[in-house]
């Protein structure tokens, strides 16, 4: 059960599409189901005339675009991005570890001089360790993504992060 809901659609069907299909010997249609409509849940689909010149033109255009496309390969692009992310996170992790060492040695000097209690120094060490944990987690995620990207999809070996 289907209806053409607009006057424009009815006119186009009767005046343009039907006369073109009159000469075609094999009339084929394809019904493509789109799912259900929001609100009342009515089934929604569209009907397509198979073998018409517009379909042939669109297929030829898509084939030509695939052959002449200069779009980069998605897998290579992802490898490049993940590699760059890994380099950034390694650099940031090194900086965070250096900062942690510097701040820890400063806090130890303050504890020895009596300006800071040991409990306060331990609390500051925990706080200063947060960036190191963050960049370690990010680096682990990027390494996992690179592993998944490079592994054979049928390989049963799962990713095991290095400690």
């Amino acid at each position: 059960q289907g209806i053409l809901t607009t006057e424009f659609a009815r006119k186009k069907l009767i005046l343009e599409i039907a006369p073109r299909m009159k000469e075609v010997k094999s009339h084929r249609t394809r019904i493509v189901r789109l799912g259900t409509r929001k609100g009342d849940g009515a089934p929604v689909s569209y009907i397509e005339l198979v073998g018409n010149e517009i379909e042939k033109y669109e297929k030829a255009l898509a084939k030509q675009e695939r052959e002449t496309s200069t779009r980069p390969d998605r897998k290579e692009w992802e490898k490049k991005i993940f590699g760059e992310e890994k380099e950034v996170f390694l650099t940031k992790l090194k900086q965070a570890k250096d900062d942690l060492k510097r701040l820890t040695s400063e806090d130890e000097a303050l504890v020895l001089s009596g300006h800071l209690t040991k409990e306060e120094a331990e609390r500051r060490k925990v706080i200063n360790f947060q960036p190191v944990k963050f960049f370690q987690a990010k680096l682990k995620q990027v390494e996992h993504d690179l592993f998944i990207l490079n592994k054979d999809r049928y390989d049963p070996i799962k990713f095991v992060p290095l400690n």
Side-chain angles (χ1 to χ4, degrees), residues 20-35:
R20 282 194 315 210
M21 300 308 284
K22 185 178 181 181
E23 298 172 9
V24 177
K25 300 297 181 208
S26 61
H27 294 282
R28 289 198 212 142
T29 58
R30 176 185 305 137
I31 298 174
V32 179
R33 299 189 191 283
L34 300 175

Side-chain angles (χ1 to χ4, degrees), residues 3-163:
I3 54 174
L4 296 174
T5 56
T6 63
E7 184 66 28
F8 174 77
R10 286 190 288 271
K11 283 183 180 178
K12 184 166 181 123
L13 178 65
I14 293 168
L15 298 176
E16 293 180 28
I17 298 172
R20 282 194 315 210
M21 300 308 284
K22 185 178 181 181
E23 298 172 9
V24 177
K25 300 297 181 208
S26 61
H27 294 282
R28 289 198 212 142
T29 58
R30 176 185 305 137
I31 298 174
V32 179
R33 299 189 191 283
L34 300 175
T36 57
R37 186 169 51 205
K38 289 184 179 179
D40 61 356
V44 179
S45 59
Y46 69 88
I47 189 167
E48 183 178 18
L49 301 172
V50 178
N52 63 43
E53 58 272 358
I54 294 173
E55 180 188 22
K56 292 175 185 173
Y57 170 74
E58 288 174 347
K59 284 184 178 179
L61 192 63
K63 182 179 178 185
Q64 180 184 9
E65 184 178 328
R66 279 193 308 270
E67 291 172 353
T68 61
S69 177
T70 58
R71 291 187 338 202
D73 181 34
R74 181 176 178 196
K75 190 172 183 177
E76 292 302 319
W77 179 79
E78 285 180 339
K79 280 183 187 178
K80 178 185 170 203
I81 295 298
F82 288 142
E84 290 173 0
E85 281 184 351
K86 184 177 178 180
E87 289 176 20
V88 167
F89 290 138
L90 281 170
T91 304
K92 293 288 187 181
L93 179 62
K94 185 180 181 304
Q95 289 174 353
K97 285 181 177 179
D98 291 344
D99 289 344
L100 179 65
K101 284 180 186 176
R102 182 182 51 81
L103 292 171
T104 303
S105 64
E106 288 175 3
D107 288 349
E108 288 173 358
L110 288 173
V111 167
L112 291 176
S113 67
H115 289 68
L116 195 65
T117 64
K118 283 191 175 193
E119 294 80 22
E120 183 66 22
E122 285 299 317
R123 188 183 70 75
R124 288 172 69 165
K125 185 176 181 181
V126 169
I127 292 171
N128 293 334
F129 189 69
Q130 292 302 318
V132 174
K133 284 175 53 176
F134 173 78
F135 289 117
Q136 284 174 338
K138 286 294 189 181
L139 188 60
K140 183 178 175 182
Q141 180 63 44
V142 169
E143 287 174 346
H144 177 268
D145 291 341
L146 277 169
F147 175 80
I148 296 298
L149 190 64
N150 290 323
K151 89 177 196 85
D152 181 17
R153 64 189 289 202
Y154 300 110
D155 190 2
I157 297 174
K158 301 280 190 231
F159 175 75
V160 180
L162 300 174
N163 291 333

